[in-house]
Amino acid sequence: MIVLKIKYHTLILTGILVTLLFLSPLVIPVYWVILLSEILIMGLMAVSFNLLLGYAGLLSFGQGAFFGLGAYTAALMLQAGYENLFLIFLAGILVAMLAALIVGFFSVRLDEIFFAMITLAFGMMFFSIAHNWRDVTGGSDGLPVFNLPNLQLFGLDLTFYSPISMYYLIFTTVLIALFLLWLVVHSPFGLILKATRENKQRVSFVGGNVRKLRIVAFTISGAFTGLAGVLFCLFNNMATPEFMHWSFSTKPIIMAIIGGTGSFFGPLFGAGIFFVLEQIIIRYTENWMFFLGIILVPVVLFFPQGVFGTLQNRFFKQRSK
Amino acid sequence: MSTGDVLQIKNLGHSYGKFKVIEDISLSIGKGEMSALIGPNGAGKTTFYNAISGKFPPTRGKVFLNGNDITGLPSYRVVDKGMCRSFQITNIFNDLSVIENVFSPLIIQQNKHFKLYGNIFNDQQINEKAMQTLEQVGLTDRADQVVANLAYGDKRLVEMAIVLAREPSVVLLDEPTAGMNPEETENMINLIKKLAKNSGTTFFITEHDMKVVFSLAEKIYVLHQGHLLACGNPQEIRANEQVQEAYLGRKVHA
């Protein structure tokens, strides 16, 4: 009976969502295709971030560093003339992963505000390097990317100069990444990670090495955040130090909280809501951050499970409360 | 009955700064024995438990489990060596279901806690083991309920299931009936008796409630101001004048 608890509505909804995302560039204006690309990239960043907040109970304030490392790795490799996109993806992921392993090693012994502060401190260290090491990073101007290599796949020669083809590159990559993250979240590791969120002492007293579990989670999160950074560099033709600034690290936090940290797809929806609201509000006023604040307050006060989380609980009550 | 000592403690001591909380405690517990550690509040029972279970390393002395030196090992290593404990304040995974609570120790035991794919609900071996463990404590019918929604007594049973899941050779129970009503207490006593009889597991409990101690323990250790004051079977402890003076006299009316 427990085995049958596979949630069919989740499967069906995911199928519909993927189909819509796949078909949408055929019907919506190019401007919105570009926006949708950005939503998917930031959505991947937010879902990776939520592996820490939602599943491990760790609030990282330094995710921008890994995003930036992915972006800079891609930009540097493209400037150096590397043509193999797979290699660029792989390098971006590996660099971010390695950095996350090191940052995680020093950070995960801490909890709550202390964890948030140490990750913020590490993030700002990376920001300073990116901002001040002009010879390599281009300083505050960032690193522009002028040429996007083609991708040879199944005998096809794909280019990514049109927003639509770029969208499909992003769509496919994000889809694969989200699937992998989904596997992780539902794996035995995912369950133990949730257990450390609930009670890390108990995990330790049934034989689990909490520190090691958290380092693995932090490293996975960093790797996927780095992948999002690579994508953003390709999409944006640019890597800038702003990615590593703490204010950029708050974006996945806000997205996860708007969408809901308790569900896997919550942060992705949060990213969607974030950008769509920005687009709508910015038509009327420049002070979009003010209105973001106005929206965030009631969400935190009245929808502690986020917009998506609340809807999900309302319509698909999974567990008796 | 006893075939060698499973838990051996030699000259154990622990200090917070200059204050010696426990001092020079030595004891040996045989396989399958049911022993209890009693003592007035502040006698150092919990410190003693924490020092031997890996919450923190003891300042002095040695702890041996099944002949292995486990002194100062972190808690997760102590569990690997075969000793698992409960806590005075219920220590469980509140937002997970009952069966997920029991999955956790089993996943770790089978070294699957770094496995990044696959659904645990499809793992036949772990599911069977989890259901067996729940059967031992009588929670099979509540397997998929979220633990946060359970009654207090059932939450204590969940913790018991978590502790038993890995079939440790020594189980430490820190006040297993704390906060329970008389009926729940009665059930818990019967459960512990049943488990000890069926599994041959060695239980070492601390308890406030003298009724519980005397109905369960074959051997009782009395801790007083950080020192072992006495040890013996329930009759001997009841008869011991020092113990009465230090502790029982105020608590139990002979």
Short mmCIF file of all heavy atoms in Angstrom, two decimals, chain B residues 86-130:
data_model
loop_
_atom_site.label_atom_id
_atom_site.label_comp_id
_atom_site.label_asym_id
_atom_site.label_seq_id
_atom_site.Cartn_x
_atom_site.Cartn_y
_atom_site.Cartn_z
N SER B 86 18.32 5.85 23.55
CA SER B 86 17.20 6.77 23.47
C SER B 86 17.52 7.98 24.34
O SER B 86 18.51 7.99 25.07
CB SER B 86 15.91 6.11 23.95
OG SER B 86 15.92 6.02 25.36
N PHE B 87 16.66 8.98 24.28
CA PHE B 87 16.90 10.20 25.05
C PHE B 87 15.73 10.48 25.98
O PHE B 87 14.61 10.04 25.75
CB PHE B 87 17.09 11.39 24.10
CG PHE B 87 18.37 11.31 23.31
CD1 PHE B 87 18.43 10.56 22.15
CD2 PHE B 87 19.50 11.98 23.73
CE1 PHE B 87 19.61 10.48 21.43
CE2 PHE B 87 20.67 11.91 23.01
CZ PHE B 87 20.74 11.16 21.86
N GLN B 88 16.05 11.24 27.03
CA GLN B 88 15.02 11.60 27.99
C GLN B 88 13.89 12.37 27.31
O GLN B 88 12.72 12.13 27.55
CB GLN B 88 15.67 12.51 29.04
CG GLN B 88 15.21 12.24 30.43
CD GLN B 88 16.04 13.07 31.40
OE1 GLN B 88 15.81 14.24 31.58
NE2 GLN B 88 17.01 12.46 32.02
N ILE B 89 14.28 13.32 26.44
CA ILE B 89 13.30 14.06 25.67
C ILE B 89 13.24 13.40 24.30
O ILE B 89 14.26 13.24 23.63
CB ILE B 89 13.71 15.54 25.56
CG1 ILE B 89 13.67 16.17 26.94
CG2 ILE B 89 12.78 16.28 24.59
CD1 ILE B 89 14.48 17.42 27.08
N THR B 90 12.03 13.01 23.91
CA THR B 90 11.85 12.21 22.70
C THR B 90 12.64 12.78 21.53
O THR B 90 12.54 13.96 21.21
CB THR B 90 10.36 12.15 22.32
OG1 THR B 90 9.62 11.97 23.51
CG2 THR B 90 10.11 11.00 21.37
N ASN B 91 13.40 11.94 20.90
CA ASN B 91 14.32 12.36 19.86
C ASN B 91 14.04 11.58 18.58
O ASN B 91 14.58 10.50 18.37
CB ASN B 91 15.75 12.08 20.35
CG ASN B 91 16.68 13.20 19.99
OD1 ASN B 91 16.47 13.91 19.01
ND2 ASN B 91 17.73 13.36 20.77
N ILE B 92 13.14 12.14 17.77
CA ILE B 92 12.72 11.42 16.57
C ILE B 92 12.65 12.40 15.40
O ILE B 92 12.95 13.57 15.56
CB ILE B 92 11.33 10.75 16.77
CG1 ILE B 92 10.33 11.77 17.29
CG2 ILE B 92 11.45 9.57 17.71
CD1 ILE B 92 8.95 11.22 17.52
N PHE B 93 12.25 11.91 14.22
CA PHE B 93 12.14 12.77 13.04
C PHE B 93 10.68 13.16 12.86
O PHE B 93 9.89 12.45 12.24
CB PHE B 93 12.67 12.05 11.81
CG PHE B 93 14.04 11.48 11.99
CD1 PHE B 93 14.25 10.11 11.90
CD2 PHE B 93 15.12 12.30 12.29
CE1 PHE B 93 15.52 9.58 12.09
CE2 PHE B 93 16.39 11.78 12.47
CZ PHE B 93 16.58 10.41 12.38
N ASN B 94 10.34 14.32 13.39
CA ASN B 94 8.94 14.70 13.51
C ASN B 94 8.15 14.78 12.21
O ASN B 94 7.00 14.40 12.17
CB ASN B 94 8.86 16.06 14.19
CG ASN B 94 8.40 15.91 15.62
OD1 ASN B 94 7.46 15.15 15.89
ND2 ASN B 94 9.05 16.58 16.53
N ASP B 95 8.78 15.29 11.16
CA ASP B 95 8.02 15.54 9.94
C ASP B 95 8.04 14.35 8.98
O ASP B 95 7.51 14.44 7.89
CB ASP B 95 8.56 16.79 9.23
CG ASP B 95 7.50 17.89 9.16
OD1 ASP B 95 6.56 17.81 9.97
OD2 ASP B 95 7.61 18.78 8.31
N LEU B 96 8.66 13.26 9.40
CA LEU B 96 8.66 12.07 8.56
C LEU B 96 7.61 11.10 9.06
O LEU B 96 7.14 11.20 10.19
CB LEU B 96 10.05 11.40 8.59
CG LEU B 96 11.26 12.26 8.20
CD1 LEU B 96 12.52 11.42 8.21
CD2 LEU B 96 11.08 12.91 6.85
N SER B 97 7.25 10.13 8.21
CA SER B 97 6.28 9.14 8.63
C SER B 97 6.95 8.13 9.57
O SER B 97 8.17 8.09 9.69
CB SER B 97 5.70 8.43 7.41
OG SER B 97 6.68 7.61 6.82
N VAL B 98 6.11 7.33 10.23
CA VAL B 98 6.63 6.36 11.18
C VAL B 98 7.63 5.43 10.51
O VAL B 98 8.74 5.20 11.00
CB VAL B 98 5.48 5.54 11.81
CG1 VAL B 98 6.02 4.38 12.63
CG2 VAL B 98 4.60 6.44 12.67
N ILE B 99 7.26 4.93 9.34
CA ILE B 99 8.15 3.96 8.69
C ILE B 99 9.43 4.64 8.18
O ILE B 99 10.51 4.05 8.23
CB ILE B 99 7.43 3.19 7.56
CG1 ILE B 99 8.24 1.95 7.19
CG2 ILE B 99 7.18 4.03 6.33
CD1 ILE B 99 7.47 0.83 6.58
N GLU B 100 9.31 5.90 7.75
CA GLU B 100 10.52 6.62 7.33
C GLU B 100 11.47 6.82 8.50
O GLU B 100 12.69 6.81 8.34
CB GLU B 100 10.16 7.97 6.71
CG GLU B 100 9.63 7.87 5.29
CD GLU B 100 9.11 9.20 4.75
OE1 GLU B 100 8.61 10.03 5.54
OE2 GLU B 100 9.20 9.40 3.54
N ASN B 101 10.90 7.00 9.69
CA ASN B 101 11.72 7.10 10.89
C ASN B 101 12.56 5.85 11.08
O ASN B 101 13.71 5.91 11.46
CB ASN B 101 10.84 7.32 12.12
CG ASN B 101 10.69 8.79 12.47
OD1 ASN B 101 11.44 9.32 13.27
ND2 ASN B 101 9.74 9.44 11.85
N VAL B 102 11.94 4.70 10.81
CA VAL B 102 12.66 3.44 10.99
C VAL B 102 13.58 3.14 9.81
O VAL B 102 14.61 2.48 9.97
CB VAL B 102 11.66 2.28 11.23
CG1 VAL B 102 12.40 1.00 11.56
CG2 VAL B 102 10.71 2.63 12.35
N PHE B 103 13.20 3.64 8.63
CA PHE B 103 14.09 3.49 7.46
C PHE B 103 15.47 4.07 7.75
O PHE B 103 16.49 3.50 7.35
CB PHE B 103 13.52 4.22 6.24
CG PHE B 103 12.43 3.47 5.52
CD1 PHE B 103 11.54 4.15 4.70
CD2 PHE B 103 12.31 2.09 5.64
CE1 PHE B 103 10.54 3.47 4.02
CE2 PHE B 103 11.31 1.41 4.97
CZ PHE B 103 10.42 2.10 4.16
N SER B 104 15.47 5.24 8.41
CA SER B 104 16.73 5.98 8.55
C SER B 104 17.87 5.14 9.13
O SER B 104 18.92 5.04 8.50
CB SER B 104 16.50 7.25 9.36
OG SER B 104 15.49 8.01 8.73
N PRO B 105 17.69 4.52 10.31
CA PRO B 105 18.79 3.69 10.81
C PRO B 105 19.12 2.53 9.89
O PRO B 105 20.29 2.16 9.76
CB PRO B 105 18.29 3.18 12.16
CG PRO B 105 16.86 3.48 12.22
CD PRO B 105 16.60 4.62 11.30
N LEU B 106 18.10 1.97 9.23
CA LEU B 106 18.35 0.81 8.37
C LEU B 106 19.15 1.19 7.13
O LEU B 106 20.05 0.46 6.71
CB LEU B 106 17.02 0.16 7.97
CG LEU B 106 16.25 -0.47 9.13
CD1 LEU B 106 14.85 -0.88 8.69
CD2 LEU B 106 17.01 -1.66 9.69
N ILE B 107 18.81 2.34 6.55
CA ILE B 107 19.57 2.83 5.38
C ILE B 107 21.03 3.01 5.76
O ILE B 107 21.93 2.61 5.03
CB ILE B 107 18.97 4.18 4.90
CG1 ILE B 107 17.61 3.97 4.26
CG2 ILE B 107 19.93 4.85 3.90
CD1 ILE B 107 16.87 5.26 3.97
N ILE B 108 21.25 3.60 6.93
CA ILE B 108 22.62 3.85 7.36
C ILE B 108 23.34 2.53 7.65
O ILE B 108 24.49 2.32 7.27
CB ILE B 108 22.64 4.77 8.59
CG1 ILE B 108 22.16 6.18 8.19
CG2 ILE B 108 24.03 4.85 9.21
CD1 ILE B 108 21.86 7.09 9.33
N GLN B 109 22.63 1.61 8.30
CA GLN B 109 23.23 0.31 8.61
C GLN B 109 23.69 -0.40 7.34
O GLN B 109 24.76 -1.00 7.31
CB GLN B 109 22.21 -0.56 9.35
CG GLN B 109 22.80 -1.90 9.78
CD GLN B 109 21.75 -2.81 10.39
OE1 GLN B 109 20.58 -2.72 10.06
NE2 GLN B 109 22.18 -3.66 11.30
N GLN B 110 22.86 -0.32 6.30
CA GLN B 110 23.21 -1.00 5.05
C GLN B 110 24.07 -0.14 4.15
O GLN B 110 24.24 -0.45 2.97
CB GLN B 110 21.94 -1.41 4.32
CG GLN B 110 21.09 -2.33 5.16
CD GLN B 110 20.11 -3.12 4.33
OE1 GLN B 110 20.15 -3.10 3.11
NE2 GLN B 110 19.22 -3.81 5.00
N ASN B 111 24.55 0.95 4.71
CA ASN B 111 25.48 1.82 3.97
C ASN B 111 24.88 2.36 2.69
O ASN B 111 25.56 2.50 1.68
CB ASN B 111 26.75 1.04 3.65
CG ASN B 111 27.95 1.80 4.14
OD1 ASN B 111 27.93 3.04 4.17
ND2 ASN B 111 28.99 1.09 4.53
N LYS B 112 23.58 2.67 2.74
CA LYS B 112 22.94 3.20 1.54
C LYS B 112 22.65 4.69 1.70
O LYS B 112 21.91 5.27 0.91
CB LYS B 112 21.64 2.44 1.26
CG LYS B 112 21.90 1.03 0.76
CD LYS B 112 20.62 0.27 0.52
CE LYS B 112 20.92 -1.11 -0.02
NZ LYS B 112 19.80 -2.03 0.11
N HIS B 113 23.22 5.30 2.73
CA HIS B 113 22.85 6.70 2.96
C HIS B 113 23.57 7.67 2.02
O HIS B 113 23.25 8.84 2.02
CB HIS B 113 23.03 7.10 4.42
CG HIS B 113 24.36 6.77 5.02
ND1 HIS B 113 24.95 5.54 4.93
CD2 HIS B 113 25.20 7.52 5.75
CE1 HIS B 113 26.09 5.55 5.56
NE2 HIS B 113 26.28 6.74 6.07
N PHE B 114 24.50 7.17 1.21
CA PHE B 114 25.05 8.04 0.18
C PHE B 114 24.63 7.58 -1.21
O PHE B 114 25.21 7.97 -2.21
CB PHE B 114 26.57 8.12 0.29
CG PHE B 114 27.01 8.89 1.51
CD1 PHE B 114 27.55 8.25 2.61
CD2 PHE B 114 26.85 10.26 1.56
CE1 PHE B 114 27.93 8.97 3.73
CE2 PHE B 114 27.22 11.00 2.68
CZ PHE B 114 27.76 10.35 3.76
N LYS B 115 23.59 6.74 -1.24
CA LYS B 115 23.06 6.28 -2.52
C LYS B 115 22.12 7.36 -3.07
O LYS B 115 21.14 7.73 -2.42
CB LYS B 115 22.30 4.97 -2.32
CG LYS B 115 22.03 4.24 -3.59
CD LYS B 115 21.39 2.87 -3.30
CE LYS B 115 20.75 2.36 -4.56
NZ LYS B 115 19.42 1.79 -4.33
N LEU B 116 22.44 7.88 -4.26
CA LEU B 116 21.77 9.08 -4.75
C LEU B 116 20.59 8.80 -5.68
O LEU B 116 20.04 9.70 -6.28
CB LEU B 116 22.77 9.99 -5.47
CG LEU B 116 23.93 10.51 -4.61
CD1 LEU B 116 24.93 11.27 -5.45
CD2 LEU B 116 23.42 11.38 -3.48
N TYR B 117 20.21 7.54 -5.84
CA TYR B 117 19.09 7.23 -6.70
C TYR B 117 18.33 6.05 -6.11
O TYR B 117 18.81 5.40 -5.18
CB TYR B 117 19.59 6.86 -8.11
CG TYR B 117 20.51 5.67 -8.09
CD1 TYR B 117 20.02 4.38 -8.27
CD2 TYR B 117 21.86 5.84 -7.84
CE1 TYR B 117 20.87 3.28 -8.21
CE2 TYR B 117 22.71 4.74 -7.76
CZ TYR B 117 22.20 3.47 -7.96
OH TYR B 117 23.03 2.40 -7.87
N GLY B 118 17.16 5.82 -6.65
CA GLY B 118 16.37 4.67 -6.19
C GLY B 118 15.45 5.05 -5.04
O GLY B 118 15.79 5.89 -4.21
N ASN B 119 14.27 4.45 -5.03
CA ASN B 119 13.28 4.77 -4.01
C ASN B 119 13.34 3.73 -2.90
O ASN B 119 13.26 2.54 -3.15
CB ASN B 119 11.90 4.81 -4.64
CG ASN B 119 10.88 5.40 -3.72
OD1 ASN B 119 10.96 5.25 -2.50
ND2 ASN B 119 9.91 6.10 -4.28
N ILE B 120 13.43 4.22 -1.69
CA ILE B 120 13.58 3.33 -0.54
C ILE B 120 12.33 2.47 -0.34
O ILE B 120 12.40 1.35 0.16
CB ILE B 120 13.91 4.14 0.73
CG1 ILE B 120 14.52 3.25 1.78
CG2 ILE B 120 12.72 4.88 1.27
CD1 ILE B 120 15.85 2.67 1.39
N PHE B 121 11.18 2.98 -0.79
CA PHE B 121 9.95 2.21 -0.62
C PHE B 121 9.95 0.95 -1.50
O PHE B 121 9.16 0.05 -1.32
CB PHE B 121 8.72 3.07 -0.93
CG PHE B 121 8.43 4.06 0.16
CD1 PHE B 121 8.79 5.38 0.02
CD2 PHE B 121 7.81 3.65 1.33
CE1 PHE B 121 8.54 6.29 1.03
CE2 PHE B 121 7.54 4.55 2.35
CZ PHE B 121 7.92 5.88 2.20
N ASN B 122 10.85 0.95 -2.50
CA ASN B 122 10.94 -0.25 -3.35
C ASN B 122 12.04 -1.20 -2.88
O ASN B 122 12.29 -2.20 -3.54
CB ASN B 122 11.23 0.17 -4.80
CG ASN B 122 10.14 1.06 -5.34
OD1 ASN B 122 8.99 0.95 -4.90
ND2 ASN B 122 10.48 1.94 -6.26
N ASP B 123 12.70 -0.88 -1.80
CA ASP B 123 13.76 -1.74 -1.29
C ASP B 123 13.15 -2.79 -0.36
O ASP B 123 12.85 -2.52 0.80
CB ASP B 123 14.79 -0.87 -0.53
CG ASP B 123 16.04 -1.66 -0.17
OD1 ASP B 123 15.91 -2.82 0.26
OD2 ASP B 123 17.14 -1.10 -0.29
N GLN B 124 12.95 -3.96 -0.93
CA GLN B 124 12.24 -5.03 -0.22
C GLN B 124 12.85 -5.33 1.14
O GLN B 124 12.17 -5.37 2.16
CB GLN B 124 12.30 -6.30 -1.07
CG GLN B 124 11.37 -7.39 -0.59
CD GLN B 124 10.18 -7.51 -1.53
OE1 GLN B 124 10.30 -7.25 -2.72
NE2 GLN B 124 9.04 -7.88 -1.00
N GLN B 125 14.17 -5.49 1.14
CA GLN B 125 14.88 -5.89 2.35
C GLN B 125 14.65 -4.88 3.48
O GLN B 125 14.29 -5.25 4.60
CB GLN B 125 16.37 -5.97 2.02
CG GLN B 125 17.15 -6.87 2.93
CD GLN B 125 18.64 -6.75 2.66
OE1 GLN B 125 19.06 -6.07 1.72
NE2 GLN B 125 19.43 -7.38 3.47
N ILE B 126 14.82 -3.61 3.15
CA ILE B 126 14.67 -2.57 4.17
C ILE B 126 13.21 -2.44 4.61
O ILE B 126 12.92 -2.28 5.79
CB ILE B 126 15.24 -1.23 3.66
CG1 ILE B 126 16.77 -1.28 3.72
CG2 ILE B 126 14.71 -0.05 4.47
CD1 ILE B 126 17.47 0.02 3.44
N ASN B 127 12.29 -2.57 3.66
CA ASN B 127 10.87 -2.51 4.03
C ASN B 127 10.48 -3.62 4.99
O ASN B 127 9.77 -3.39 5.97
CB ASN B 127 10.00 -2.57 2.77
CG ASN B 127 9.76 -1.20 2.18
OD1 ASN B 127 8.86 -0.50 2.61
ND2 ASN B 127 10.58 -0.80 1.23
N GLU B 128 10.95 -4.83 4.69
CA GLU B 128 10.62 -5.96 5.56
C GLU B 128 11.19 -5.75 6.95
O GLU B 128 10.51 -5.94 7.96
CB GLU B 128 11.16 -7.26 4.96
CG GLU B 128 10.18 -7.89 3.99
CD GLU B 128 10.81 -9.07 3.24
OE1 GLU B 128 11.79 -9.65 3.77
OE2 GLU B 128 10.32 -9.39 2.14
N LYS B 129 12.44 -5.35 6.98
CA LYS B 129 13.11 -5.12 8.26
C LYS B 129 12.40 -4.02 9.06
O LYS B 129 12.19 -4.14 10.26
CB LYS B 129 14.57 -4.73 8.00
CG LYS B 129 15.45 -4.75 9.21
CD LYS B 129 15.87 -6.15 9.57
CE LYS B 129 15.71 -6.45 11.06
NZ LYS B 129 16.31 -5.50 11.96
N ALA B 130 11.99 -2.97 8.36
CA ALA B 130 11.30 -1.86 9.03
C ALA B 130 9.97 -2.33 9.60
O ALA B 130 9.62 -2.00 10.75
CB ALA B 130 11.10 -0.70 8.05
#
